[in-house]
Every structure is written in C-alpha cells, then in structure tokens.
Amino acid sequence: MPVVEIHPSRRGMDLPSSPIRRLAALATAAEERGVHVHHLNIGQPDLAPPPEVEAALASAPQIRLAYAPSRGIASTLDAWVAYYRRYGIEVERDDLLVTAGASEALSLAFLTTCDPGDEVLVPEPYYAPYKGVVAISGVHLVPVPLGPGYAPPAAEAFRDRLTDRTRAILLCSPNNPTGTVYTRDDLLAIGGFARDHGLFLLSDETYREIVFDGPPATSALALPGLEDHVVVIDSLSKRFNMCGARIGSFVSRNQDVMRAALELAELRLSVPAIEQHAAGAALTSAPNYLTQLVDTYRSRVGTVVNGLANIPGVDVRRPDGAFYVVPTLPVDDADRFAAWMLSDFAVGGETVMVTPMSDFYGSPGLGKREVRLACIIHEADLSRVIDILRVGLDGYPGRDA
Amino acid sequence: MPVVEIHPSRRGMDLPSSPIRRLAALATAAEERGVHVHHLNIGQPDLAPPPEVEAALASAPQIRLAYAPSRGIASTLDAWVAYYRRYGIEVERDDLLVTAGASEALSLAFLTTCDPGDEVLVPEPYYAPYKGVVAISGVHLVPVPLGPGYAPPAAEAFRDRLTDRTRAILLCSPNNPTGTVYTRDDLLAIGGFARDHGLFLLSDETYREIVFDGPPATSALALPGLEDHVVVIDSLSKRFNMCGARIGSFVSRNQDVMRAALELAELRLSVPAIEQHAAGAALTSAPNYLTQLVDTYRSRVGTVVNGLANIPGVDVRRPDGAFYVVPTLPVDDADRFAAWMLSDFAVGGETVMVTPMSDFYGSPGLGKREVRLACIIHEADLSRVIDILRVGLDGYPGRDA
C-alpha cells in the first residue's frame, strides 16, 4: 500500500502569521549575545495588582478545585455588576459571563453574532490578534480608516463599507494601539448607525479607566436604545495588572446572544475558580488604585511622547488613553527597523524591542513607518529607551528623512 | 426609518441543546422543595487532589500574574514530559501544549486537523459535549457503533463510514461513558487503518490510569509508525481531582499540527500561571495517589454494578475503566424516567439525578433505555442510591419490563 500523506487543516495552515514571531526570535538571539533588550513590544505592565488580590490569593489552597458554574462564580458575577454600577451602568447577572480574558470574550462575540462569511467593520489600525480570532470564526474584518490624528471615523466611513454580509462594528476604546478614546457623541453616532442597519456593536473596553484627561471612557453599555445591539468585551488584565489571571467578561442585554454565549461557555465547562476569586477582589478594590494607575501611565506616556518629539524626523501625537505611543519614524520600513534594532544594533549593551504597526492594519501597505511602544516599564527606563531609539535612528541604514 | 431587526448568528442559535439543561432545572426545583438530590449526573469527583497541589497553591500570592508563555510554563511542560516518560512515552516540550483542560485541547484538535464540512469518525456512545465542540468548528461527527458489551469497533466498522471528507478518528479510552478500554491491539488495528487512509487519530486520554484490571490504558502516543497521525487530548481534571483548575494538554509529534495549535494558543495568550504551577505539582506527585484513586473507583463501581444487577429488569455490565456505570433500565424512556425521578418521586426525602444516555449517541433513537451514573460520591451514599433507584423503578409509571 502506498504511503498516504496526512495534512493539517487548511485553516490551521492559513492562520495569519504575525511578524512579531520573527522579531521574538531575534530578541532571544540578542539576549543570548548578552544584550539587554527593553521590551516595549507587549502590553504586559510591570505594575502590581491591587493588594486585595494578593490577600484573596492567600486562600487559594482552601478553594475547592471543582468546576465553577459556566457563567461564572456568583460572587464574581456580583463584583462585575457592582463594578459597572460605579459607572452608572445597570446590568444583571444574566447579562454577564465571566470569561478567560478578553480573548475568550472576543471569540464568543464573533461566534454569537456572525456566521462564516459575515463581515465586521473595524476602524484601523486595530489590535492585531483580532485577525486570528476572526479567521478561525470564518468571519472577515473590513477595515475602516481612522480620521487624521487617529480620530474616530464618522458614520459615513462605516456606511461606505456596508454590504449585505455586514453584521457588526468592532470598536476598542480607549484604543490599543492608537489611544483613541471615543466620546459619548462618537459612540451615539456609530451606535445609531449600527441600530439603523441591524448591526451589532462589539465594544472592547479593556482599557476603560486609562484616560488621561477626564473620566473613564464611555461604555457602549451606557448608550440608550442599543440594548439589543451592544456586546461588551472586558478584561481585568490591564487595569488591574492581572494579565496572567486571564479573567474578563462578556456583557450583553441581548438575551438571545447571552443564551448562545452561555451554551458555548458550557462547552469549556468553567473558568478557573482561584482566578475568579482574585477577580472579585480586584473589582471591589479601593478606587484609588485606578487613580494612581492612570497617573502612572499619564506620566510615562508624557515622558515618551516628549522624548520622541525631540528626535529629528519623528512625528508623534499624545494618545488620549491606554498606554501605547505610536510614533511615525524616519525609516524606510518599520519592520526592518525593528529587526535591525535587535539583530544589528546595541548601545552600551542595550537595545529596544518595538512593535511594527504594519500588522495592526488590514489594508496592505499601511503603517510602514509606524511602531507601537508600550509604556510598561519604569519611567527612568523609558527615558533610556528614548536615548537608545535616538542613537538607533541615527545609525539605521534605511533612514529616509 | 423602520426598526431593523437584529439576530444572533445562526450557528449560535443552532447549537445542539442538551437535555441535561432541562433536568438541571428540575433538580433545582426538587432541591427547593427540600428533596436531597444525589447528583450522579456529572463527572465531578468528591476526592481531594494530591497533597502536593495544596502545597503548591500556598505560594499563589507570590506568583506573578503575568502572561505565561502560550505553549505553557517551562516547568509545567517538563512535568508533563516526565509524567509521560513514566509510561515509556518519549515526547519533547515541542510536542506539547498546556491547555485549558481537555475542552481546549479538543477544540484545538478539531481546528488543526479538520476544515468546515470535514468528518470525524467516533465510536458511539461518546462524550456528549463533543457535539457542541465540533458544531462550532463546522465539523461533522459520524458515529460508528461499538460492538456487543460496548466492545471497541473493528476497523471494518470505520471503513464502512469512510468518505472523501473523513479526516480523523476520535477515540476516548478509558471511555466516558462506557468504560471501554482499548487494548494495544485495538489501537494498533484502528491506528493502522488511520495511517492507511491518511486520517488523524485523536485520542482523548482523560481517564488514562483509571483501569480496574491491569495497567493504565495504552496511550496512542505509544503506537509505532503513527507519529504524524496521533493527537492526544489530555486533562488532569479526573485523575488528579482538579476539574476546576482547567489544565490539560495537547500532544502531537506532527510538527505542522503543533505549529497551527501554537498559533491558535497564542490568540488566547496563555493559560493561568497559578493552575499551571499546581498542575506541575500534581504531575510529579507520589504515584501511590493514583493507585489509591483506582482502588477507590474499583470499589465504588463494584458496589454500583452489584447493586444494580440485583434489581429486577436492570441489565448492567462492569466497565473496564473510568468511573461511570451505564445500565439499561426497564423503562419506556430514560429521559422521561430521569425527569420523573426529579419532579415526581422521592423516598425518605431523597432522589437521584442520573444522565439519560440518548444525548451520548449521534444516531437518533439509540440509548433510549440507558442511563449513565457517575460514581463520584461516597460508597455508603452509592448503596443508598441503589436503594432509591430500586424504589423509583418500582413506582415509575413508564416501567416496561
């Protein structure tokens, strides 16, 4: 009998591969050569969670490792409800599902609102991993350009890309990567468009409180008349510095959507009980934790923006929220520059790992000169990073301005 | 403007709904009436994890809540490698992925080996939640009947159902629900058939050590010549009594499959760090834990089988492994009987919740008189359960033998 070949699925082979992976190998190689790499490439903050979280984790050995309810542990659901109430948002336990981070909430959002072949409108640039999550759901992301200075798109920009397969708009506010914060008026305009066209409004609110001038970003849950349309994707990872706990939430007042989401959640049985207890502690922690967090990022982002603004040829704008800075660099190709910084450059034994922005666009060719810097290290180190980037840009052979 | 209606996805609305959900509501109602319900309906054991797990969890407050590597924490991967080596199975870190329980491993197995519309052959009855996981992957389960006494199907039974869309065979050994243990010869025959036809062999080994007469079940990883074909779905939930930790593994020596699985795993970033540390402790715990566990289930299963065999009209077979007993009852319809036990029956203020087997079949009409009992409570309570079932069967109006 001849040998019969075996192949993985096409969808497994065709997953959008991330340029970050190639850079990660270069960073590892640099570190093996003894170079100190400042990792500004991942949204993994250096800050500690609220002290209430550590206190809750002290009881981990006493928590029974049994399946939690698929929707979530009652006390954690109640902590989410109380947390939203602090922002004037009334949701019930039945409107909520505790998820394994924003990642699972996002996956549930696509699966419950879109069928294979359906389209989701998303302002670009956008969080790059959206691509993989939609690919595996068989859904297509249709990019909608932001306005100048990464301003929210007008409703017309969405209208221009509407087809009979459009099922949802996906927003992220405060935005990763651009820091764009959608005002209540922005959301009302886009939400009204969604309602008029029978679209879901999927709102990723992972960075809610991290807004530099003013109150936390308006939640899509606060919009009137959109109860059946809004699905919120939430996460404790960034605001409570619990990336590794993998706790988020999926929130909607559309009970058909919630029923489908719960049935999907039942397939994975439950989210770990220990982290759910810790999440409850974070959600009910003293509010000054978030105040200090925002102060920290405001200061860090200011340092990076001011430092970059003083480098000749660099164009940078202060973000309104989140903790990323996205400068345009005087380089031929930010992917090549990022790789060069890791493989061919060091100053005083140090270099910087940045994220090229090309992967954050759906439209080919965009973002070629932009990089994303995550302000997730101490301010003194961020100042040093600026110096390193200045020297790197001076020496980079592909400099073009 | 007219109101535009909004609907969830068809796939969200069409998820296979489980009859268990309806029974769960009846159980809750019974408990609210003050009836004590013995829950033999879910595979959630009452046993404690190895003491090493509690010791590891004592350090939970000191574990940094940062993203773990997407493949898994190095020490946890090494613990899995060492664990498999105890059974003479040599795998490398690169052949492994730490998953959020068997659920995630199963989902990764379907996504990396099958495209929408592809078919997977599965001996029936089978673990009912497979249905939802494949539905959301767009894959079709094709049931293959077990032999008499729940014996493994011969390779011909698979051949009869082979089409040009068949991509994989899914086995579970020791089996939930039937307790069937596939011998090495069974696996070699089915594995050879898979190799000859270019099929993946997806092997759910969640109950590996729980075998009553003899050593742990043979792993598909131990089969020669099937390195590119075998994907193992594993979980600590049942053998180490850590259902709520949600830690499993996905294991394959097919590097294309592993590459796709890792890319999918990167989309969810990581599995919680605290549970991974606890998992490492479980995997390296003293081996007598598993010996005692098997002794416990052998004794419990014996009590249930012997008790049921003495009830007139009940047909029962001792399972070879796992911790379920599947009797055929003298009733018109096991779904109706299970509901009646909760809503219309109690003896001494007690009743039993069993799982009707109809949902464990893919072929309509099968399993109508079978129920699954999970032996996950103390032996004295199991004896009491037998008495309750005897009285229930006597009084059930739909008795038909």
Side-chain angles (χ1 to χ4, degrees):
Chain A
M1 184 144 190
V3 172
V4 180
E5 287 198 17
I6 188 158
H7 300 285
S9 62
R10 279 188 304 277
R11 60 179 161 192
M13 298 298 271
D14 292 349
L15 279 170
S17 78
S18 165
I20 313 296
R21 194 189 310 267
R22 194 172 48 90
L23 289 179
L26 298 181
T28 303
E31 282 159 349
E32 285 170 1
R33 289 194 309 272
V35 174
H36 176 70
V37 179
H38 295 275
H39 283 270
L40 263 57
N41 55 294
I42 184 166
Q44 160 79 65
D46 58 334
L47 306 173
E52 290 87 343
V53 169
E54 192 176 319
L57 287 174
S59 66
Q62 283 79 54
I63 294 173
R64 187 168 169 238
L65 295 177
Y67 293 123
S70 296
R71 185 187 291 282
I73 290 174
S75 61
T76 308
L77 290 166
D78 288 345
W80 273 113
V81 168
Y83 161 84
Y84 287 119
R85 189 167 295 145
R86 268 160 52 183
Y87 298 111
I89 298 163
E90 292 295 328
V91 290
E92 315 274 325
R93 269 195 204 176
D94 285 356
D95 304 327
L96 264 166
L97 197 64
V98 178
T99 61
S103 318
E104 188 191 23
L106 201 56
S107 170
L108 291 174
F110 289 123
L111 289 171
T112 57
T113 64
C114 298
D115 283 300
D118 284 346
E119 296 171 357
V120 174
L121 302 175
V122 56
E124 73 175 345
Y126 54 80
Y127 179 58
Y130 288 165
K131 292 181 187 177
V133 179
V134 299
I136 216 66
S137 315
V139 174
H140 303 297
L141 285 182
V142 176
V144 176
L146 287 176
Y150 303 134
E156 292 73 51
F158 292 99
R159 192 186 319 273
D160 289 346
R161 285 153 186 88
L162 198 65
T163 75
D164 58 2
R165 295 308 300 264
T166 311
R167 298 288 292 141
I169 293 172
L170 171 60
L171 299 182
C172 173
S173 170
N175 189 267
N176 174 6
T178 63
T180 306
V181 176
Y182 289 70
T183 65
R184 185 177 167 82
D185 283 347
D186 293 330
L187 291 177
L188 283 171
I190 297 169
F193 175 81
R195 189 183 53 237
D196 290 347
H197 295 88
L199 307 180
F200 286 98
L201 182 61
L202 314 179
S203 184
D204 177 349
E205 305 184 356
T206 294
Y207 297 88
R208 182 176 297 110
E209 286 89 351
I210 311 178
V211 175
F212 302 133
D213 306 307
T218 302
S219 171
L221 292 168
L223 304 178
L226 285 166
E227 290 73 13
D228 279 344
H229 298 72
V230 166
V231 175
V232 161
I233 293 117
D234 213 335
S235 167
L236 301 185
S237 294
K238 312 297 180 176
R239 287 119 66 192
F240 294 100
N241 293 296
M242 299 172 66
C243 292
R246 314 303 308 122
I247 298 288
S249 72
F250 176 97
V251 196
S252 179
R253 299 189 184 96
N254 183 317
Q255 290 308 305
D256 289 332
V257 166
M258 286 309 301
R259 197 159 29 243
L262 183 59
E263 286 187 30
L264 288 167
E266 285 171 355
L267 296 175
R268 53 73 165 145
L269 300 165
S270 66
V271 167
I274 293 172
E275 278 76 6
Q276 290 201 55
H277 282 287
L283 287 163
T284 53
S285 63
N288 67 343
Y289 177 83
L290 287 169
T291 312
Q292 288 170 13
L293 183 91
V294 176
D295 289 345
T296 299
Y297 285 126
R298 187 189 296 107
S299 179
R300 288 180 177 185
V301 162
T303 296
V304 170
V305 168
N306 294 337
L308 289 170
N310 286 324
I311 301 180
V314 172
D315 187 22
V316 64
R317 179 192 151 273
R318 179 173 178 265
D320 296 323
F323 51 62
Y324 305 96
V325 175
V326 179
T328 301
L329 303 182
V331 297
D332 55 347
D333 182 313
D335 284 83
R336 266 205 290 267
F337 172 70
W340 180 85
M341 287 289 288
L342 295 169
S343 56
D344 296 288
F345 174 81
V347 53
E350 295 172 78
T351 191
V352 181
M353 183 169 178
V354 302
T355 306
M357 283 284 291
S358 55
D359 198 31
F360 291 73
Y361 286 86
S363 306
L366 295 186
K368 291 282 283 183
R369 299 170 71 224
E370 292 169 326
V371 297
R372 188 192 73 168
L373 308 175
C375 300
I376 42 80
I377 58 175
H378 281 203
E379 216 159 322
D381 292 326
L382 288 172
S383 297
R384 176 76 192 129
V385 159
I386 300 296
D387 293 336
I388 296 168
L389 281 173
R390 182 195 317 267
V391 179
L393 285 167
D394 261 350
Y396 176 59
R399 183 165 175 120
D400 80 343
Chain B
M1 184 143 191
V3 172
V4 180
E5 288 199 15
I6 187 158
H7 301 285
S9 62
R10 278 188 304 277
R11 60 179 160 193
M13 299 296 271
D14 291 350
L15 279 169
S17 77
S18 165
I20 313 296
R21 195 189 311 265
R22 194 173 48 92
L23 289 180
L26 298 181
T28 303
E31 282 159 351
E32 284 169 3
R33 289 194 308 273
V35 174
H36 175 71
V37 179
H38 295 275
H39 284 271
L40 263 56
N41 55 295
I42 185 167
Q44 161 79 65
D46 58 335
L47 306 173
E52 290 88 343
V53 169
E54 190 175 322
L57 287 174
S59 66
Q62 283 78 55
I63 294 173
R64 188 167 169 240
L65 295 177
Y67 293 123
S70 295
R71 186 188 290 282
I73 290 174
S75 60
T76 309
L77 290 166
D78 288 345
W80 273 113
V81 168
Y83 162 85
Y84 287 119
R85 189 167 294 144
R86 268 160 53 183
Y87 298 112
I89 298 163
E90 292 295 328
V91 290
E92 315 274 326
R93 269 195 203 174
D94 285 356
D95 304 328
L96 265 167
L97 198 63
V98 178
T99 61
S103 316
E104 188 191 22
L106 202 55
S107 170
L108 291 174
F110 290 123
L111 290 171
T112 56
T113 64
C114 297
D115 283 300
D118 284 346
E119 296 170 356
V120 174
L121 302 175
V122 56
E124 75 176 343
Y126 53 81
Y127 179 56
Y130 289 163
K131 292 182 186 177
V133 179
V134 299
I136 216 67
S137 315
V139 174
H140 304 296
L141 285 182
V142 176
V144 176
L146 286 176
Y150 304 134
E156 293 73 52
F158 293 99
R159 192 187 319 271
D160 290 346
R161 285 152 186 89
L162 198 66
T163 76
D164 58 2
R165 295 309 300 265
T166 310
R167 298 288 291 142
I169 293 173
L170 171 60
L171 298 182
C172 173
S173 169
N175 190 266
N176 174 6
T178 63
T180 306
V181 176
Y182 288 69
T183 64
R184 186 178 166 83
D185 283 346
D186 295 329
L187 290 177
L188 282 172
I190 297 170
F193 175 80
R195 189 183 53 235
D196 290 347
H197 295 88
L199 308 180
F200 286 98
L201 182 60
L202 314 180
S203 184
D204 177 349
E205 305 184 355
T206 294
Y207 297 87
R208 182 176 297 110
E209 286 89 351
I210 312 177
V211 175
F212 302 132
D213 305 307
T218 302
S219 170
L221 291 168
L223 304 178
L226 285 165
E227 290 72 13
D228 279 345
H229 297 72
V230 166
V231 175
V232 160
I233 293 117
D234 212 334
S235 165
L236 301 185
S237 294
K238 312 298 181 176
R239 286 121 64 194
F240 294 100
N241 293 296
M242 299 172 66
C243 292
R246 314 303 308 123
I247 298 287
S249 73
F250 176 98
V251 195
S252 179
R253 299 190 184 95
N254 182 316
Q255 290 309 305
D256 289 332
V257 166
M258 286 310 300
R259 196 158 32 242
L262 183 59
E263 286 187 29
L264 288 167
E266 285 170 356
L267 297 174
R268 52 74 164 146
L269 300 166
S270 66
V271 167
I274 293 172
E275 278 76 5
Q276 290 201 54
H277 282 286
L283 287 163
T284 53
S285 63
N288 68 342
Y289 177 84
L290 287 168
T291 313
Q292 287 169 13
L293 182 92
V294 176
D295 288 346
T296 300
Y297 286 125
R298 185 187 298 108
S299 179
R300 288 181 178 184
V301 161
T303 296
V304 170
V305 169
N306 294 338
L308 289 171
N310 286 324
I311 301 179
V314 173
D315 187 23
V316 65
R317 180 194 149 271
R318 181 173 176 266
D320 296 323
F323 51 63
Y324 306 96
V325 175
V326 180
T328 301
L329 303 181
V331 298
D332 56 346
D333 182 314
D335 284 83
R336 265 205 289 268
F337 172 69
W340 179 85
M341 287 289 287
L342 294 169
S343 57
D344 297 287
F345 174 81
V347 52
E350 295 171 79
T351 192
V352 181
M353 183 168 178
V354 302
T355 306
M357 282 285 292
S358 55
D359 198 30
F360 291 74
Y361 286 86
S363 307
L366 295 186
K368 291 284 282 184
R369 300 169 71 225
E370 292 169 325
V371 297
R372 188 192 73 168
L373 308 175
C375 300
I376 43 80
I377 59 175
H378 280 200
E379 214 158 324
D381 291 325
L382 287 172
S383 296
R384 176 74 193 131
V385 159
I386 299 297
D387 293 338
I388 295 168
L389 281 172
R390 183 195 315 267
V391 180
L393 285 167
D394 261 350
Y396 176 60
R399 184 168 175 117
D400 79 344

